[in-house]
Amino acid sequence: MFRLLALGFSFLFASVVTAADGAKPPNILFAVADDWGRFASVYAEIDGPGTINDAIRTPNFDRVAKEGVLFRDAFVSAPSCTPCRSALLSGQHFWRTGRASILQGAYWDGSQPAYPPLLKDSGYHIGETYKVWSPGAPVDAPYGAGKYAYEKAGGRFNQFSQHVTRMVAEGTDVEAAKQELYDEVSGNFEQFLADRVENQPFCYWFGPTNVHRKWIKGSGKALWGIDPDSLKGKLPPFLPDVPEVRQDMSDYLGEAQAFDVALGLLIAKLEAIGELDNTLIVVSGDHGAPGFPHGKCNLYDFGTRVSLAMRWGGAKGGRVVDDLISLTDLAPTFLELAGMPIPERMTGRSLVNILKSDQSGQIDPARDAVFTGRERHVENARFDFTPYPQRAIRTQDYLYIVNFRPDRWPLGDPYRLDGDDPPTEEEVTEETRVTLPDEDAGPTKAWLVGVRKTSEWQPHFEWVYGKRPRVELYDLKKDPHQTKNVAGEAVYRDIVANLDKRLMTELGQTGDPRLIDDGVFYETPPMAGPLPENGPQNVKRKKKR
């Protein structure tokens, strides 16, 4: 009976799923690490020495990049988990995803077109392991979290350094302890593959959370041999170059290396079953580093710029692409390669033309800018439950940011910093919401809070956590780390005007609720009401393919 059903289903998807050129549609493997920014050893090769990337080793990501396409400038739509993933799944700006465009009180509810269910309905076998939606779609949603989860082999990889460190303390060899977690990764993927019908194309999302805080202090060196002192002189200027921060960063890089090993296991399995060259492998992160100034929850490059490499048998490898890419471009890419129509609602643009090109450098002249933004991260980051609304346009030469409510604290209210009972170092390290809640807790944040009143570090603390002007402009050729706001300088007056016009035009044409009724949709606490009638769900955008 099962064989008859399988044969019937095989016939069904064979008649429905056909790639654009009539060939077998490719499988899709999307590996996305939580909070993993633009950190991979291959970037040290193309950017040159002297950066954080000198300290990390990611041979499997590097392989995907060298056998496929490495993107120099890839960005997320929003540097916060749920809005970024909602934008990625739906192929559109985060502000067009309704309540999924904020973190607390929001979820991906399947109310808008998204590539996984579209692929499933066309005959693809879909599945995921670990984090996709956050905090998670309700289990009764048509494509809710858990319905397509493959995690029976285990989920300990999500707390990699915690579990390995514990096992080592109990007497297990380091490599043996790691292998236990690697076996879970392999087992989950094998379970997913075993569930598909013979020759059925598949789409698999691998989303471990180990790169998200928290991780074990000292694990970068203990588990991966990353010496914190190797980062000395290589941190960007907004990160204090002190032992505590170098230690924190080395531990973060260690978790990224663990993710890279897991990626290698998935690639090895594809090779073993003969599916490597018929699989589009995409590897990226959902935003920048957590618990570090200018990282997660910021529109500076350290918060929005991510690693991105793609490998596919139909793409010429060994290329480095300079086009400005948004992760919202992935959904239409997946659909086009599967031979499916791209919903009009998607603002992302398919990357298939870049994959099929044989060129490096700037390939599509129209890809000269990306748009990013942010609203709410932690719901109670401010005492009145308000968000911190930002939008930005990033070109090759400039980053232009609009802070719509400059009277508010960017990373949340400085709870308990000026009172009689300041938070302890342990509280700031362990408790995300104890102060400046939109920045994750961790040793770097705790150290900065601890030295905030010293003459040496008070200006730095105020720079990274203080209130910001309504408009920020950074000249990337002169200031790649975005440390000097030049928006007020006369020589940049025309540039500010042109970028502002281009940004506001994009927001208006795509129905950003921030521009509707003074942003009442976002100013209202989560789940308090529907989108305004003229919100983004009613906006259709004509665009070039």
Side-chain angles (χ1 to χ4, degrees), residues 400-424:
Y400 176 71
I401 302 172
V402 176
N403 301 305
F404 288 92
R405 296 290 189 270
D407 57 308
R408 298 174 186 167
W409 295 98
L411 278 306
D413 288 342
Y415 297 123
R416 297 176 58 188
L417 290 188
D418 296 321
D420 296 329
D421 185 25
T424 65

Side-chain angles (χ1 to χ4, degrees), residues 376 385-387 389 405 408 514 518-525:
R376 191 185 303 275
F385 296 91
T386 53
R405 296 290 189 270
R408 298 174 186 167
R514 176 47 61 183
D518 199 28
V520 65
F521 170 66
Y522 288 121
E523 295 297 316
T524 305

Side-chain angles (χ1 to χ4, degrees), residues 367-401:
R367 294 184 182 274
D368 63 345
V370 291
F371 299 89
T372 63
R374 176 196 167 204
E375 282 287 342
R376 191 185 303 275
H377 186 66
V378 175
E379 184 175 350
N380 61 346
R382 289 155 206 88
F383 75 93
D384 55 0
F385 296 91
T386 53
Y388 191 75
Q390 298 177 283
R391 300 292 185 272
I393 178 173
R394 182 15 169 113
T395 68
Q396 291 288 6
D397 296 325
Y398 299 99
L399 171 64
Y400 176 71
I401 302 172

Side-chain angles (χ1 to χ4, degrees), residues 274-286:
E275 292 280 7
L276 180 61
D277 285 338
N278 192 47
T279 300
L280 172 66
I281 302 174
V282 180
V283 192
S284 189
D286 66 352

Side-chain angles (χ1 to χ4, degrees), residues 150-430:
Y150 289 87
E151 301 174 7
K152 290 183 179 179
R156 291 181 298 170
F157 191 88
N158 285 332
Q159 292 82 39
F160 189 89
S161 62
Q162 290 95 321
H163 287 296
V164 172
T165 300
R166 173 187 55 79
M167 286 188 281
V168 170
E170 294 171 352
T172 305
D173 176 76
V174 172
E175 294 307 315
K178 289 181 178 181
Q179 190 61 50
E180 281 195 34
L181 305 191
Y182 299 156
D183 290 344
E184 292 183 355
V185 170
S186 298
N188 290 326
F189 190 40
E190 288 167 1
Q191 178 199 358
F192 165 78
L193 293 172
D195 269 2
R196 68 173 179 147
V197 177
E198 186 178 359
N199 293 322
Q200 183 184 9
F202 62 81
C203 177
Y204 181 67
W205 175 302
F206 177 65
T209 60
N210 65 297
V211 186
H212 189 297
R213 289 186 185 272
K214 62 182 180 179
W215 45 79
I216 297 297
K217 186 174 183 179
S219 57
K221 186 172 184 178
L223 303 184
W224 302 101
I226 303 175
D227 185 351
D229 287 340
S230 68
L231 290 165
K232 192 170 185 178
K234 298 179 180 180
L235 299 180
F238 46 80
L239 297 183
D241 198 349
V242 297
E244 291 83 354
V245 179
R246 295 195 294 268
Q247 170 82 74
D248 201 15
M249 179 57 66
S250 69
D251 296 339
Y252 169 73
L253 297 179
E255 296 292 347
Q257 289 196 190
F259 167 77
D260 187 76
V261 173
L263 171 64
L265 299 175
L266 305 182
I267 295 173
K269 183 62 178 180
L270 292 176
E271 286 184 298
I273 64 175
E275 292 280 7
L276 180 61
D277 285 338
N278 192 47
T279 300
L280 172 66
I281 302 174
V282 180
V283 192
S284 189
D286 66 352
H287 48 67
F292 294 97
H294 281 212
K296 181 178 179 179
C297 286
N298 288 276
L299 300 191
Y300 308 115
D301 282 7
F302 200 65
T304 61
R305 198 178 184 202
V306 292
S307 303
L308 179 62
M310 305 173 71
R311 184 195 189 281
W312 174 49
K316 180 181 178 181
R319 296 185 292 127
V320 178
V321 170
D322 294 341
D323 298 46
L324 288 162
I325 303 300
S326 170
L327 294 197
T328 60
D329 297 333
L330 295 181
T333 302
F334 298 160
L335 294 175
E336 182 176 347
L337 281 178
M340 298 181 62
I342 299 172
E344 290 185 6
R345 181 160 180 72
M346 292 187 175
T347 54
R349 293 175 290 168
S350 171
L351 299 168
V352 170
N353 64 322
I354 290 178
L355 290 176
K356 292 185 174 181
S357 172
D358 60 0
Q359 301 177 34
S360 292
Q362 184 75 31
I363 296 173
D364 182 352
R367 294 184 182 274
D368 63 345
V370 291
F371 299 89
T372 63
R374 176 196 167 204
E375 282 287 342
R376 191 185 303 275
H377 186 66
V378 175
E379 184 175 350
N380 61 346
R382 289 155 206 88
F383 75 93
D384 55 0
F385 296 91
T386 53
Y388 191 75
Q390 298 177 283
R391 300 292 185 272
I393 178 173
R394 182 15 169 113
T395 68
Q396 291 288 6
D397 296 325
Y398 299 99
L399 171 64
Y400 176 71
I401 302 172
V402 176
N403 301 305
F404 288 92
R405 296 290 189 270
D407 57 308
R408 298 174 186 167
W409 295 98
L411 278 306
D413 288 342
Y415 297 123
R416 297 176 58 188
L417 290 188
D418 296 321
D420 296 329
D421 185 25
T424 65
E425 179 180 350
E426 182 178 4
E427 286 178 314
V428 181
T429 301
E430 299 294 333

Side-chain angles (χ1 to χ4, degrees), residues 414-530:
Y415 297 123
R416 297 176 58 188
L417 290 188
D418 296 321
D420 296 329
D421 185 25
T424 65
E425 179 180 350
E426 182 178 4
E427 286 178 314
V428 181
T429 301
E430 299 294 333
E431 299 296 332
T432 301
R433 294 172 176 80
V434 69
T435 193
L436 304 165
D438 274 342
E439 180 170 286
D440 286 13
T444 294
K445 179 179 177 180
W447 185 86
L448 274 167
V449 167
V451 299
R452 70 189 184 282
K453 293 185 178 180
T454 66
S455 58
E456 180 180 6
W457 292 106
Q458 183 179 14
H460 192 102
F461 181 87
E462 293 177 352
W463 170 35
V464 296
Y465 293 127
K467 293 180 179 179
R468 300 169 185 173
R470 178 177 173 82
V471 171
E472 299 176 70
L473 177 71
Y474 299 95
D475 186 333
L476 302 178
K477 301 298 183 185
K478 299 178 180 179
D479 180 24
H481 294 298
Q482 297 120 55
T483 63
K484 182 182 179 182
N485 179 15
V486 296
E489 297 184 15
V491 68
Y492 293 99
R493 185 178 297 117
D494 290 345
I495 293 169
V496 168
N498 290 336
L499 291 175
D500 188 79
K501 180 179 179 180
R502 187 171 180 185
L503 174 61
M504 294 304 163
T505 297
E506 182 72 14
L507 302 185
Q509 289 181 346
T510 56
D512 188 344
R514 176 47 61 183
L515 301 190
I516 299 172
D517 298 330
D518 199 28
V520 65
F521 170 66
Y522 288 121
E523 295 297 316
T524 305
M527 309 308 293

